[in-house]
Amino acid sequence: MDTAPKAASPAGGPHAPSRKAMRLAIAGSGLLLVIAFAAFYWATSLASRRKAAEAGDAVAVTVTDSACEPMDLTVPAGRTTFAITNRSNRAMEWEILDGVMVVEERENIAPGITQTIAARLAAGTYDITCGLLSNPRGKLHVTPAQADAEPAAPALLAFIGPLAEYQVQLLTHAGDFATATSALAQAVQADDLERARALYGEARLSYARLAPAADLFADLDTRLDARADDFGGREQDPLFKGLHRVEYGLFAQNTTAGLRAPAEALAADAGELNQRMATLQLQPDRMVSGAARLMRRAAGLEAMGGAEKYAHSDLADIQAEADAVLGIATLLRPLAQKASPGLPARIDADGAALTALLAAHRDGTGFSSFETVAADQRAAIAAALTTLGDDMDTLGAALGLTTSGRSVQ
Amino acid sequence: MKRSVLMLATALSLSLGALQAQAAVSPLDLVAPIAQYKVYVTKELDAFVAATKDFTDAVKAGDLAKAKTLYASARAHYERIEPIAELFSDLDGAIDSRADDHAKKEKDPTFTGYHRIEYGLFVTNSTDGLAPFADKLMADVNDLQARVKGLTFPPEKVVGGAAALLEEVAATKISGEEDRYSHTDLMDFQANIDGAQEVYTLFKPLLAKDAKNEAFLKKVDANFASVDAILVKYKTADGFESYDKLSKKDRKALAGPVNTLAEDLSKMRGLLGLK
Amino acid sequence: MTSHPTSPHRTSSLDRRSLLKGFGALGGAAAGMLGTAAVARADDISSPVTTAPESNRTAERVDFYGVHQSGIVTPRPATGMVVAFDVLATTRPDLERLFRTLTERIAFLMQGGAPPKLDPKLPPADSGILGPVVVPDNLTVTVSVGASLFDERFGLAPKKPRHLNAMEQFPNDALDPDLCHGDLMLQFCSNTADTNIHALRDIVKNLPDLLLVRWKQEGSVPMIAARPGAKAESARNFLGFRDGSANPDSADAAVMERVVWVKGGEEPDWAANGSYQVVRIIRNFVERWDRTPLLEQEEIFGRKKASGAPFGGHTEQDVPNYAADPKGRQTRLDAHIRLANPRTSATQANLILRRPFNYSNGISKSGQLEMGLLFIAYQADLEQGFITVQKRLNGEPLEEYIKPIGGGYFFALPGVSGPSDFLGSALLAPGEPT
């Protein structure tokens, strides 16, 4: 699971240009970033230290060509790390099954390799797979936990409701985004600068609301949300498209001229995003890991001077993105409350703290330009975003979805 | 997908001595149909709010004929999504309770909602005194829309919704006691069936993944078709014939498929791995 | 019917003979034969199809006299019936005649014996459905009064028990006025439904000017095979669950004194040793229930269906440890048994003694089975007892499958001390300060 906090890039590098831009920015930027990155490194190293500790207490299981060794395991309820060594002659996966349901699995363990897998298990008897489907299954007995033991992670079934609700929300925002961008394309077509600017804001906010999941479609995310800095020729680069290209025209060049093609391409991509959202099969861990990444990415960008270089509407974006992240936490709240009773309140408090920081810059129904936000205030906002990102990691860990995160007592 | 093939293999390879509902689907497969169901419910609720607005406006304007015409079709939206709507029991009582649910029946001040207004329109034959009920109904329906919007749909209520709607039909629609003043039961009947069919259709592809379910799906399809075929005979341009037009023979012919659907759809939760 | 738990065939004729001899009469075997029996001798019955089924329990008798009425803490037999009446008496003397006659009839019916033989040109004194000699058959008839008896008719208003009012409608109720309330309530319990019916017909025949039947509901409980030495089991309701597992011990007089019997002081003096009675006709949607997954059924109740054990327990008698399960991981917080009896020290004050039967009444307009639970409960304090428990149950998940449609609150009169006393004597006694 990819939980190591990388500022702008999930595994697979769909944001390669962003990362490059980031490095450039780091070079030219000051102390703030050092602080921000110190936080990232702290979190990263904490996570890896945890992993090392887990591997030390891991329950070892060796899988041969014909069976598991041992075939019968007993562990206490709560969190257990298993170290699975593949001594068979082919790549295999190892699963813990509750009836026919997969509780945990580690895929693609190559021959000769040991992989760890952490699972939070409720008391009961489970099956474990042992290589080939034709091999006999082993038994995993989970004994009831002590009173003070960690609560078990919710079963996969428990995530169906929140996932479905989240998918509905994503569909709604993607629909709004498609509607706003196509209206924006029409406004550009009609040379209506004021209306186009207003619609840009609407489109931007809709995209911010689905941002925790936007990087599920890395190609589209790059097309829709790349910044000029990501391109060699910056604003003049012919590959520079998407929201920021339109923003550049509307707010820096103050004209709709030359925006017809980018605006139409934007609307088309938004339409495609909408369609892909409808067929999305979201995994529970992506709800929190996407949210955590988004918050840290936002923290990095704000520290660097903002994402909305021309419209300077960063504060509204941040609020919308934070709301989206808090919305995810709300969907998972009933599960989190059981798994880690103090956590929801802490996320609420951290969310409220961020909102309070932003509220200082409220201007009527919207926000002041990001240019008016002083450096120390930007740093405070970035720090609050980072905290919220960490909270989402903690949430993921509490729900047994990921393996890192701070513990909550 | 690798996962689903594996799950299928797992399900097949387990020899469970007892009769046990087996799931050939991953829990995550349920997410998309549940999300689609929420979209369906949201659309029906939007339509319900709009139809209730027109209906209550007509009541308040004293337009008796128009209010009578709008009554059944407005309610149909509610009847389609009842498994979700009735999760809010206070609103369900306020919007959809029948006189029997109240100590003083029609005279009870707590008797409100569609059936209270139905009583006024079709028995008292007047809109007099109905305006406060119309205002309250509109407020309750708006409240329902807001609450459903914020609701994470419980998977077992969604999948179980198909069966719940058929239970509703079996218990109150076959007898014609739901809309006892307006006799528009057939509209409700069809709406319940539509709502059940929507749920069933959304989850059918998952059930169809398991070859063992083939006969089950065929049977359910056939019974839905039987019910629809009878109901269609009573369709009119703007709704349905009055319930008393339903022949005794057709009423009996409906009972078999309805009860069988209730039996069969009650297995859907278990077949999909929900309890 | 259900009165022969061990064998449906004639296997105990010896028992039967000796039993019948005890009553000095030929008795019941021929009673069911009606027309054909007129020419058949007892040992020459040609059609076993119409031979009367046998019971070796017809001589079972419950004492009528005592501090308390019987039929409350008395072990519940297989069949029960409640009948609510409107009182037609209009004067205090007529009311007293009503209670005196009731006392006399019930004393006889519970004792058993031969009704007087009348001139055959007259209608007979007894319906004859139990034969020429009435067998007690474990009969109890328990008399209670409704709030309406304390209206202006008899000047009894000052004597009304503190909590006695017409039963209110709870949120899930759909009460049919024709199945609710009444001036007087008789609860009949015995081994067979026919014994209850015989007693009812006797009372109706003897009090035509004073009583009018208002509504009636019969019920029964499924019997189980006798298992000598085994732990007692609660009978199952029509949802298939054991009902009564957590009932307070009716054999424990001290517990009954606290839970069931009204004491002087808190209530009008006459009411001491009486008890508040709650009757509810609770329809069960059995088709729907039978289409509900077993796991959900069990979660709704909070017990395992087969054994009756609470979650985490093994037998019906195991007491669930809710204190160790504050979040409802083991037993849902809204499980029926957990709401009904949360087993905290505070809720001990809300205990009630249940005495339910199952009923079955034909079909609904939709062609569904009309059946459910004839809920009967007794308690010393109606407010602390049933009303508090029911308020906790309001909104429980079980409501999806049940619908209370009738019943009422009544007050079971104190017992009759001996042949010179009568039911309600203290209630009707003049001179009690008002």
Side-chain angles (χ1 to χ4, degrees):
Chain A
M1 214 134 290
D2 172 44
T3 53
K6 293 173 198 152
S9 163
H15 278 274
S18 307
R19 205 188 301 171
K20 201 194 302 164
M22 197 74 140
R23 268 190 235 115
L24 287 171
I26 293 166
S29 145
L31 194 58
L32 283 178
L33 265 188
V34 177
I35 295 167
F37 273 85
F40 298 156
Y41 278 120
W42 176 77
T44 314
S45 60
L46 180 70
S48 55
R49 258 182 280 132
R50 267 169 195 281
K51 274 179 189 154
E54 278 160 5
D57 320 327
V59 174
V61 180
T62 301
V63 181
T64 67
D65 282 328
S66 60
C68 293
E69 292 171 4
M71 284 295 276
D72 216 301
L73 290 165
T74 301
V75 301
R79 185 187 175 114
T80 303
T81 304
F82 298 87
I84 314 303
T85 304
N86 183 356
R87 293 252 177 276
S88 75
N89 58 16
R90 61 175 75 199
M92 52 148 239
E93 62 185 358
W94 191 78
E95 295 174 323
I96 302 172
L97 300 170
D98 181 4
V100 297
M101 295 293 180
V102 178
V103 178
E104 277 295 343
E105 65 179 338
R106 170 66 78 183
E107 291 193 49
N108 205 20
I109 307 175
I113 297 294
T114 299
Q115 293 269 22
T116 58
I117 162 173
R120 240 176 243 214
L121 299 167
T125 300
Y126 301 81
D127 286 336
I128 52 175
T129 59
C130 299
L132 296 174
L133 279 177
S134 54
N135 287 350
R137 297 231 171 94
K139 285 280 176 212
L140 171 61
H141 305 280
V142 180
T143 53
Q146 306 302 315
D148 57 347
E150 280 183 282
L156 197 48
L157 274 174
F159 290 98
I160 299 174
L163 276 170
E165 180 59 21
Y166 188 51
Q167 191 155 358
V168 172
Q169 293 178 4
L170 288 176
L171 277 170
T172 309
H173 300 319
D176 291 348
F177 183 54
T179 308
T181 49
S182 87
L184 172 59
Q186 284 169 20
V188 167
Q189 186 86 25
D191 284 332
D192 187 340
L193 181 63
E194 276 317 297
R195 183 163 161 69
R197 282 179 168 176
L199 286 165
Y200 172 80
E202 276 181 35
R204 184 75 235 168
L205 285 181
S206 295
Y207 196 69
R209 288 184 189 116
L210 54 81
D215 65 2
L216 285 167
F217 306 110
D219 57 335
L220 277 179
D221 191 35
T222 306
R223 294 218 295 272
L224 287 164
D225 202 27
R227 289 173 299 279
D229 293 350
D230 297 339
F231 301 95
R234 303 218 170 214
E235 278 86 355
Q236 310 317 319
D237 199 302
L239 291 175
F240 178 42
K241 285 180 183 163
L243 282 163
H244 292 297
R245 172 66 189 88
V246 175
E247 179 201 2
Y248 173 66
L250 295 177
F251 295 91
Q253 298 178 310
N254 292 318
T255 173
T256 57
L259 288 182
R260 287 189 183 185
E264 269 162 29
L266 175 65
D269 285 337
E272 185 171 346
L273 179 67
N274 193 22
Q275 290 197 340
R276 287 204 215 168
M277 282 293 178
T279 56
L280 181 67
Q281 255 219 341
L282 200 63
Q283 300 289 319
D285 58 308
R286 292 305 299 256
M287 281 178 83
V288 287
S289 62
R293 268 199 304 279
L294 173 69
M295 288 293 90
R296 280 190 288 263
R297 182 171 158 216
L301 287 170
E302 301 328 325
M304 281 189 313
E308 303 285 290
K309 280 177 64 175
Y310 324 108
H312 305 295
S313 55
D314 295 69
L315 294 175
D317 280 11
I318 295 170
Q319 183 73 65
E321 288 175 355
D323 287 347
V325 167
L326 292 169
I328 290 171
T330 303
L331 290 177
L332 296 170
R333 189 180 187 106
L335 299 179
Q337 195 70 53
K338 279 188 191 161
S340 178
L343 185 54
R346 195 178 88 194
I347 295 175
D348 286 349
D350 290 343
L354 174 61
T355 302
L357 284 175
L358 296 174
H361 305 285
R362 279 258 176 213
D363 178 15
T365 55
F367 286 93
S368 307
S369 161
F370 195 58
E371 290 173 306
T372 66
V373 181
D376 60 331
Q377 291 165 328
R378 292 187 186 194
I381 292 170
L385 286 166
T386 306
T387 303
L388 212 48
D390 290 346
D391 285 345
M392 295 307 283
D393 274 342
T394 309
L395 178 60
L399 297 178
L401 297 172
T402 57
T403 49
S404 68
R406 288 180 286 163
S407 69
V408 183
Q409 291 306 332
Chain B
M1 293 280 294
K2 179 169 162 294
R3 163 63 68 87
S4 50
V5 171
L6 175 72
M7 297 297 291
L8 184 61
T10 309
L12 290 173
S13 68
L14 278 177
S15 62
L16 302 160
L19 272 177
Q20 187 172 324
Q22 298 186 5
V25 292
S26 157
L28 294 180
D29 291 341
L30 301 173
V31 171
I34 291 171
Q36 286 165 37
Y37 184 66
K38 179 152 190 182
V39 172
Y40 168 79
V41 169
T42 306
K43 283 181 183 157
E44 283 298 325
L45 261 178
D46 290 350
F48 184 50
V49 168
T52 302
K53 177 84 170 61
D54 291 347
F55 173 65
T56 53
D57 282 352
V59 169
K60 285 164 69 180
D63 191 339
L64 182 65
K66 188 173 176 196
K68 280 182 170 178
T69 322
L70 294 176
Y71 168 78
S73 54
R75 276 181 45 72
H77 299 293
Y78 189 86
E79 294 285 327
R80 282 185 200 117
I81 59 162
E82 213 159 344
I84 295 301
E86 72 186 4
L87 292 178
F88 303 102
S89 60
D90 57 334
L91 289 180
D92 188 40
I95 293 170
D96 194 37
S97 66
R98 296 186 284 155
D100 303 341
D101 299 324
H102 303 273
K104 294 182 188 133
K105 313 297 165 202
E106 279 86 358
K107 305 284 172 241
D108 202 303
T110 62
F111 178 38
T112 63
Y114 265 99
H115 293 303
R116 174 63 187 85
I117 299 178
E118 179 199 7
Y119 175 69
L121 297 178
F122 294 89
V123 176
T124 319
N125 212 21
S126 156
T127 58
D128 287 354
L130 295 181
F133 294 113
D135 284 336
K136 175 160 170 41
L137 175 62
M138 193 66 240
D140 288 335
V141 169
N142 280 324
D143 191 6
L144 177 67
Q145 187 185 37
R147 287 204 223 170
V148 170
K149 185 165 187 251
L151 175 74
T152 295
F153 281 22
E156 67 283 358
K157 294 286 179 196
V158 174
V159 178
L165 283 162
L166 262 297
E167 296 292 356
E168 178 83 16
V169 170
T172 63
K173 303 305 192 304
I174 289 268
S175 64
E177 63 193 276
E178 171 94 10
D179 299 292
R180 64 183 61 168
Y181 318 117
S182 61
H183 307 294
T184 53
D185 299 81
L186 290 179
M187 184 76 125
D188 284 8
F189 199 131
Q190 181 75 62
N192 285 160
I193 295 291
D194 289 348
Q197 222 159 350
E198 175 74 22
V199 174
Y200 169 70
T201 307
L202 285 173
F203 291 93
K204 188 178 164 186
L206 293 183
L207 292 167
K209 280 183 176 183
D210 189 337
K212 286 200 303 292
N213 293 332
E214 199 184 320
F216 172 84
L217 297 173
K218 254 191 174 152
K219 189 174 161 210
V220 172
D221 285 335
N223 279 317
F224 269 126
S226 307
V227 172
D228 285 337
I230 297 172
L231 287 177
V232 79
K233 293 198 283 181
Y234 296 92
K235 265 199 177 127
T236 61
D238 56 348
F240 279 88
E241 301 265 21
S242 162
Y243 183 81
D244 16 306
K245 295 266 166 60
L246 182 65
S247 72
K248 226 177 181 160
K249 188 171 160 241
D250 279 340
R251 201 172 131 173
K252 279 203 173 152
L254 281 168
V258 161
N259 288 331
T260 313
L261 280 170
E263 285 288 344
D264 287 343
L265 294 176
S266 71
K267 295 177 190 136
M268 260 177 70
R269 278 160 62 181
L271 289 173
L272 290 169
L274 295 165
K275 68 176 179 189
Chain C
M1 256 222 33
T2 51
S3 64
H4 208 301
T6 47
S7 164
H9 304 297
R10 299 181 65 207
T11 52
S12 58
S13 57
L14 273 179
D15 289 359
R16 180 175 57 110
R17 290 216 180 101
S18 56
L19 198 67
L20 291 174
K21 248 180 239 156
F23 288 96
L26 276 169
M33 305 299 295
L34 296 174
T36 55
V39 292
R41 278 171 302 174
D43 55 355
D44 186 27
I45 292 170
S46 54
S47 174
V49 170
T50 43
T51 302
E54 297 176 350
S55 162
N56 55 11
R57 305 183 62 177
T58 57
E60 288 177 348
R61 179 181 294 127
V62 181
D63 283 339
F64 171 65
Y65 299 109
V67 176
H68 307 117
Q69 281 197 80
S70 52
I72 297 175
V73 302
T74 315
R76 174 190 59 187
T79 71
M81 170 166 70
V82 293
V83 186
F85 297 87
D86 291 326
V87 167
L88 301 179
T90 52
T91 63
R92 212 45 192 254
D94 272 352
L95 189 62
E96 183 168 328
R97 181 163 61 87
L98 161 62
F99 281 115
R100 283 185 183 278
T101 313
L102 258 183
T103 305
E104 177 198 305
R105 293 321 304 158
I106 294 170
F108 167 74
L109 291 163
M110 284 176 61
Q111 172 68 29
K117 284 207 164 78
L118 303 184
D119 181 339
K121 290 196 277 301
L122 296 176
D126 187 82
S127 64
I129 60 176
L130 297 183
V133 173
V134 173
V135 290
D137 199 26
N138 218 358
L139 175 74
T140 59
V141 182
T142 311
V143 179
S144 345
V145 292
S148 52
L149 194 74
F150 297 87
D151 63 14
E152 68 292 340
R153 282 174 291 172
F154 309 106
L156 291 173
K159 294 195 168 183
K160 188 160 80 80
R162 210 156 50 110
H163 300 299
L164 188 61
N165 288 304
M167 182 175 77
E168 67 258 53
Q169 170 139 346
F170 292 95
N172 187 45
D173 293 4
L175 300 177
D176 177 349
D178 293 339
L179 292 175
C180 288
H181 318 308
D183 295 333
L184 192 82
M185 159 63 64
L186 299 186
Q187 172 203 273
F188 300 80
C189 298
S190 72
N191 292 334
T192 59
D194 309 81
T195 302
N196 294 334
I197 288 167
H198 172 264
L200 172 63
R201 281 172 62 176
D202 185 285
I203 287 167
V204 166
K205 183 174 176 64
N206 281 287
L207 288 160
D209 59 329
L210 298 176
L211 284 181
L212 182 66
V213 177
R214 185 179 166 93
W215 55 273
K216 139 181 173 302
Q217 182 60 60
E218 290 175 73
S220 60
V221 287
M223 295 202 276
I224 57 171
R227 295 182 308 146
K231 255 189 206 161
E233 292 177 16
S234 301
R236 291 178 189 272
N237 59 26
F238 275 165
L239 300 178
F241 279 77
R242 294 221 171 112
D243 191 352
S245 309
N247 231 7
D249 182 2
S250 56
D252 185 329
V255 170
M256 292 299 100
E257 204 55 50
R258 196 180 73 228
V259 172
V260 173
W261 304 120
V262 164
K263 286 156 283 289
E266 298 162 0
E267 296 283 357
D269 286 347
W270 74 267
N273 300 314
S275 186
Y276 284 98
Q277 178 197 47
V278 174
V279 177
R280 308 257 291 164
I281 303 175
I282 305 173
R283 191 179 163 200
N284 295 167
F285 301 120
V286 293
E287 287 93 344
R288 182 169 200 170
W289 182 254
D290 290 345
R291 292 190 278 247
T292 300
L294 178 61
L295 280 175
E296 183 173 333
Q297 294 187 4
E298 292 181 335
E299 282 188 356
I300 287 174
F301 264 97
R303 287 188 186 277
K304 294 293 198 179
K305 195 170 188 179
S307 64
F311 290 116
H314 300 287
T315 72
E316 181 192 350
Q317 286 78 16
D318 288 340
V319 175
N321 184 359
Y322 300 139
D325 180 28
K327 299 219 164 129
R329 290 202 177 103
Q330 190 165 61
T331 304
R332 270 164 59 160
L333 297 177
D334 56 8
H336 180 75
I337 66 161
R338 189 164 183 165
L339 290 174
N341 184 357
R343 304 201 185 244
T344 65
S345 51
T347 58
Q348 289 298 300
N350 311 129
L351 292 180
I352 58 180
L353 181 70
R354 285 169 291 145
R355 190 182 174 84
F357 294 92
N358 300 325
Y359 78 87
S360 174
N361 281 351
I363 59 163
S364 74
K365 276 187 277 182
S366 306
Q368 296 200 310
L369 301 174
E370 279 269 5
M371 52 177 65
L373 187 72
L374 172 55
F375 174 94
I376 304 171
Y378 294 92
Q379 59 255 279
D381 185 329
L382 181 61
E383 194 65 45
Q384 283 277 303
F386 172 77
I387 293 177
T388 301
V389 172
Q390 181 55 50
K391 281 182 179 162
R392 277 204 300 264
L393 288 171
N394 284 344
E396 64 170 330
L398 183 60
E399 284 185 351
E400 198 174 339
Y401 303 93
I402 62 173
K403 186 62 85 179
I405 55 172
Y409 296 154
F410 302 93
F411 190 85
L413 301 172
V416 179
S417 61
S420 60
D421 192 12
F422 67 96
L423 284 158
S425 58
L427 169 64
L428 297 182
E432 188 178 317
T434 58

